[in-house]
Amino acid sequence: KLQCGDGSDGQINVADTGEFSFSDKPTLDDIRKVQHEFCKERNWDQFHTPRNILLAMVGEVGEVSELFQWRGEVKEGLPDWSEKDKKHLAQELSDVLIYLVRLSERCHIDLPAAALEKIEMNKKKYPAHVVYGSSKKYSEYDLKE
Amino acid sequence: KLQCGDGSDGQINVADTGEFSFSDKPTLDDIRKVQHEFCKERNWDQFHTPRNILLAMVGEVGEVSELFQWRGEVKEGLPDWSEKDKKHLAQELSDVLIYLVRLSERCHIDLPAAALEKIEMNKKKYPAHVVYGSSKKYSEYDLKE
Ligand SMILES: Cc1cn([C@H]2C[C@H](O)[C@@H](COP(=O)(O)O)O2)c(=O)nc1N
Ligand SMILES: Cc1cn([C@H]2C[C@H](O)[C@@H](COP(=O)(O)O)O2)c(=O)nc1N
């Protein structure tokens, strides 16, 4: 099912350098389940309508933004951040993910499957040989969908 | 590692009803890897600084919001939405996830592990017997962190 390097853009993929990676677990469905239980145990499903969750997610994205404001650009891996700020960022990114997963669940959207499909669409939309090293907007390339 | 129903809130969890669930695959790390390859093949890492990705994510959250605007509240599972709108929503939620995963990677934050840890914190912050059926703000409960 995973189609990393399926040749749709004519590139041969090498294995990941393994410099940084996520834990294999929990999966997105594990997170969905744990959050589902969390809400059920609190009888909070009644508040978790799609638009309520969307607004909660927007709020959390704002909290992530706050952590990046006024800093100028930051370096990969955040070498100049305190442990406290990194921990705080991990928590705010988590809040975004938790609400994103919950919103997808309430909308009956299979988020992991959809994301993989979207990346496959992106590969076709942005063929490597055309966009290599360029940050033009899609509409500036001479491409057709 | 998964601590669904670890008793920290004194509730006994029952198995999920299985009404709706996500695909087991891809995992968050699978998505990270595929997106990592996608960027490498296009020499786009240079544009994927944390704040650039954050702004891209904010843009995608805006696109999700657009799909919900003017509709009033929507029902679980989006029974009144067209297939086209549902598909579109799946794509925009995916874009948010893709940038969230990419941002976490660039910041060296183990997103799946952090999310699970955050839900455990939420369980402690909002004990089920105190918050059951209530949507008060945290600051309105008589709780201590
Ligand atoms: C108040 C509330 C919280 N959370 C969970 C999801 C977030 O990860 C975290 C946010 O809590 P707070 O609003 O206190 O930051 O808690 C939730 O799912 N539903 C809620 N109605
Ligand atoms: C332009 C661009 C796109 N994408 C990927 C991630 C999103 O899923 C999708 C967004 O594309 P667009 O901006 O065309 O909507 O493509 C990306 O990773 N990096 C980029 N510099």
Side-chain angles (χ1 to χ4, degrees), chain A residues 18 23 25 29 70 74 81 96 103-104 106 114 119:
Chain A
S23 301
K25 287 265 175 179
D29 197 54
W70 313 128
V74 299
W81 287 41
V96 176
L103 177 56
S104 302
R106 299 302 261 177
I119 297 177

Side-chain angles (χ1 to χ4, degrees), chain A residues 21-119:
Chain A
S21 67
F22 293 162
S23 301
D24 283 333
K25 287 265 175 179
T27 66
L28 283 160
D29 197 54
D30 291 332
I31 294 168
R32 181 196 64 75
K33 266 189 222 141
V34 179
Q35 174 67 5
H36 186 103
E37 285 297 315
F38 171 85
C39 297
K40 219 165 52 176
E41 286 166 0
R42 285 159 186 76
N43 194 17
W44 278 3
D45 284 357
Q46 56 185 316
F47 310 121
H48 279 211
T49 56
R51 303 217 318 183
N52 278 357
I53 303 168
L54 173 55
L55 284 175
M57 184 173 84
V58 168
E60 300 298 344
V61 170
E63 294 192 47
V64 173
S65 303
E66 256 190 274
L67 293 174
F68 283 96
Q69 81 191 348
W70 313 128
R71 283 185 187 265
E73 192 48 273
V74 299
K75 294 193 204 113
E76 185 178 346
L78 312 180
D80 306 326
W81 287 41
S82 68
E83 276 310 309
K84 195 170 158 242
D85 283 351
K86 272 195 241 180
K87 191 83 206 159
H88 192 173
L89 177 60
Q91 291 169 358
E92 299 304 343
L93 292 172
S94 297
D95 284 332
V96 176
L97 180 64
I98 291 162
Y99 283 130
L100 179 63
V101 161
R102 183 71 172 157
L103 177 56
S104 302
E105 180 186 50
R106 299 302 261 177
C107 294
H108 291 195
I109 281 167
D110 185 349
L111 185 63
L116 197 59
E117 205 177 300
K118 187 59 168 62
I119 297 177

Side-chain angles (χ1 to χ4, degrees), chain A residues 13 23 41-42 51 68 110, chain B residues 13 23 41 51 110 126:
Chain A
N13 296 341
S23 301
E41 286 166 0
R42 285 159 186 76
R51 303 217 318 183
F68 283 96
D110 185 349
Chain B
N13 296 340
S23 301
E41 286 166 0
R51 303 216 318 181
D110 185 348
Y126 295 107

Side-chain angles (χ1 to χ4, degrees), chain A residues 118 122 125-126 138, chain B residues 35 38 44 48 60 95 98-99:
Chain A
K118 187 59 168 62
N122 294 343
K125 185 172 176 184
Y126 295 107
Y138 175 73
Chain B
Q35 175 67 5
F38 171 85
W44 278 2
H48 278 212
E60 299 298 345
D95 285 332
I98 291 163
Y99 283 130

